[in-house]
Amino acid sequence: MTTLRTFALAATTAALCSTALLVPATASAPVELQPEDLSRGSDIAVAHIEDGDLVVGDRRVDVGGERAYLIGKAGRGHLVGTSDSDGGSLRIVRVKLDNTVTVIKRGVPFFEAKVSHNGRFFALAGRGTRRAVPVRVFSARSGKLKVEKDFPNYPTVLGMAGTRVLLTTWGGSSKGVRWWDTGNGAVTAVTRRPAGQVDIGNNLLASYTKDPYRDGCTIVSRLSDPTVRLWKSCTERVEDFSPDGERIATVHILSDGIGPSEVWEREVDGSLLGEYSTNWFGRIGFEDATDLLLEVNGDTRSSTVRCSEGDCENATDPVAVQQPRPGFSRALPSRRFGSSAPAAGAWQTPQF
């Protein structure tokens, strides 16, 4: 929290007041979230999974399967991953609001899939070795393979814009972030810093100076020029960017396991807007430019809570907290709203 500098005893009261005007306003004390203590606000406004159904506004579509994970928006439909209760029988389905559900892919681990900005493709990394892991691009309409290329050092797909796929790796000569142009096959380096999150549309990248478990720090920068740094933290990492790129949601840089117990809402330059705590948080991400959606698992009740600068309300009806099933929840890449491409964004409520 920002504090005033210490001034010499000779400084006048007027000088103190004048200086205070230059100090950024600080957020209030951390807000402890317990769903039963919050009023009920409006329902979640963006596409999301609820009780295994895809919900968009007042429309609800049963996507099949016992568990569901919203991958993102694809044209006039949405891509949804489904599985059985044990995380098997993986499918990717294309869902339309006329209740049409079409299976376009089977047996593909979909948790890391990223939908392109234009909604026409989705990309994901397959299984492989340190020497070669296939990165594949599929049609979001049919699931047909469009192109694939092997990359070393276990790449992760961060996002996709047009024919270009953004990848990150943590080791070897390919360490850092790179663009792969699927049209001409060219691979272009962006930075040697590995990345965690990206917002391609707003030209934002959250990367690491080195392994956070070895004193690495988070850097928020411009994707087009990672030397343009907007914020640095050695204690927090970015979970999501707001749709307009003006705010970030962060958690402790080493958060793992069941989920973090604290979330910070900040401006993109790091200025603190709100701090929230509970027993543990599930999904974390922005509903719009100013409202943050938090899956709150309190002491006895759970709900999705909408917060903005310290003011919070329930966006779903509170229910009894359920014991999470780590095998499924930890298979998810992160607890965040949307994906690397804004066009793919959609709130995901985990189905434990």
Side-chain angles (χ1 to χ4, degrees), residues 56 74 78 119 121 129 135 164 181-182 186 204 218 248 267 292 324 349 352:
V56 184
H78 291 79
F121 308 102
T129 66
V135 176
R164 298 193 304 163
D181 190 324
T182 63
L204 294 168
T218 297
I248 54 177
E267 293 182 359
L292 186 62
T349 302
F352 294 124

Coordinates of all heavy atoms in Angstrom, one line a residue, residues 56 74 78 119 121 129 135 164 181-182 186 204 218 248 267 292 324 349 352:
V56 N -26.0 -18.6 -21.9 CA -25.7 -17.3 -22.6 C -27.0 -16.5 -22.5 O -28.0 -16.7 -23.1 CB -25.3 -17.5 -24.1 CG1 -24.9 -16.1 -24.7 CG2 -24.2 -18.5 -24.2
A74 N -16.7 -19.2 -30.8 CA -16.2 -19.5 -32.2 C -17.3 -19.2 -33.2 O -18.3 -20.0 -33.4 CB -15.8 -21.0 -32.3
H78 N -20.2 -21.7 -29.6 CA -19.1 -21.8 -28.6 C -18.5 -23.2 -28.6 O -19.2 -24.2 -28.9 CB -19.7 -21.6 -27.2 CG -20.2 -20.2 -27.0 ND1 -21.4 -19.7 -27.5 CD2 -19.6 -19.1 -26.4 CE1 -21.6 -18.4 -27.2 NE2 -20.5 -18.0 -26.5
G119 N -12.3 -16.5 -34.4 CA -13.2 -17.6 -34.0 C -13.2 -18.8 -35.0 O -14.0 -19.7 -34.9
F121 N -10.5 -20.9 -35.8 CA -9.6 -22.0 -35.5 C -9.4 -22.1 -34.0 O -9.7 -21.2 -33.2 CB -8.2 -21.7 -36.1 CG -8.3 -21.4 -37.6 CD1 -8.2 -20.1 -38.1 CD2 -8.5 -22.4 -38.5 CE1 -8.2 -19.8 -39.4 CE2 -8.5 -22.1 -39.9 CZ -8.4 -20.8 -40.3
T129 N 8.0 -35.2 -26.8 CA 9.2 -35.3 -26.0 C 9.8 -33.9 -25.9 O 9.4 -33.0 -26.6 CB 10.2 -36.3 -26.6 OG1 10.6 -35.8 -27.9 CG2 9.5 -37.7 -26.8
V135 N 2.4 -28.9 -32.2 CA 1.4 -27.9 -32.0 C 0.5 -27.9 -33.2 O 0.9 -27.8 -34.3 CB 2.0 -26.5 -31.8 CG1 0.9 -25.4 -31.7 CG2 2.9 -26.5 -30.6
R164 N -1.5 -16.7 -37.0 CA -0.3 -16.7 -36.1 C -0.7 -17.3 -34.7 O -1.7 -16.9 -34.1 CB 0.3 -15.3 -35.9 CG 0.8 -14.7 -37.2 CD 1.7 -13.5 -37.0 NE 1.0 -12.5 -36.2 CZ 1.6 -11.5 -35.5 NH1 2.9 -11.5 -35.6 NH2 0.9 -10.6 -34.9
D181 N 3.9 -18.3 -37.5 CA 3.0 -18.0 -38.6 C 2.7 -19.3 -39.4 O 3.5 -19.8 -40.1 CB 3.7 -17.0 -39.5 CG 2.7 -16.4 -40.5 OD1 1.8 -17.1 -41.0 OD2 2.8 -15.2 -40.8
T182 N 1.5 -19.7 -39.2 CA 1.1 -21.0 -39.9 C 1.0 -20.9 -41.4 O 0.9 -21.9 -42.1 CB -0.2 -21.6 -39.3 OG1 -1.3 -20.6 -39.6 CG2 -0.1 -21.7 -37.8
A186 N 7.0 -19.4 -40.6 CA 8.1 -18.6 -40.0 C 7.8 -18.6 -38.5 O 6.7 -18.5 -38.0 CB 8.1 -17.2 -40.5
L204 N -1.0 -6.8 -24.6 CA -0.4 -7.0 -23.2 C 0.1 -8.4 -23.0 O -0.4 -9.4 -23.5 CB -1.5 -6.8 -22.2 CG -2.1 -5.3 -22.1 CD1 -3.3 -5.3 -21.3 CD2 -1.0 -4.4 -21.6
T218 N 7.2 -11.2 -11.9 CA 6.2 -11.0 -13.0 C 6.5 -9.6 -13.6 O 6.7 -8.6 -12.9 CB 4.8 -11.0 -12.5 OG1 4.5 -12.3 -11.9 CG2 3.8 -10.7 -13.6
I248 N -6.0 -5.6 -14.2 CA -5.6 -6.9 -14.0 C -6.1 -7.5 -12.7 O -6.3 -6.8 -11.8 CB -4.0 -7.0 -14.1 CG1 -3.4 -6.1 -13.0 CG2 -3.5 -6.7 -15.5 CD1 -1.9 -6.2 -13.0
E267 N -5.0 -1.7 -11.4 CA -4.9 -1.1 -12.7 C -3.7 -1.7 -13.4 O -2.8 -2.4 -12.7 CB -4.7 0.4 -12.6 CG -6.0 1.1 -12.1 CD -5.8 2.6 -12.0 OE1 -4.7 3.1 -12.4 OE2 -6.7 3.3 -11.6
L292 N -15.2 -7.7 -11.7 CA -14.4 -8.9 -11.6 C -15.3 -10.1 -11.0 O -16.1 -9.9 -10.1 CB -13.3 -8.7 -10.6 CG -12.2 -9.7 -10.4 CD1 -11.5 -10.0 -11.7 CD2 -11.2 -9.3 -9.3
P324 N -13.5 -30.2 -3.3 CA -13.1 -30.2 -4.7 C -12.4 -31.6 -5.0 O -12.0 -32.3 -4.1 CB -12.1 -29.1 -4.8 CG -11.5 -29.0 -3.4 CD -12.7 -29.2 -2.5
T349 N -17.4 -21.9 -14.9 CA -17.6 -22.4 -13.5 C -17.2 -23.9 -13.4 O -17.9 -24.7 -14.1 CB -19.1 -22.3 -13.1 OG1 -19.5 -20.9 -13.2 CG2 -19.3 -22.7 -11.7
F352 N -17.4 -29.6 -10.1 CA -16.7 -30.6 -9.2 C -17.7 -31.7 -9.0 O -18.9 -31.6 -8.9 CB -16.3 -30.0 -7.9 CG -15.2 -29.0 -8.1 CD1 -15.4 -27.7 -7.6 CD2 -14.0 -29.3 -8.7 CE1 -14.4 -26.7 -7.7 CE2 -13.0 -28.4 -8.8 CZ -13.2 -27.1 -8.4

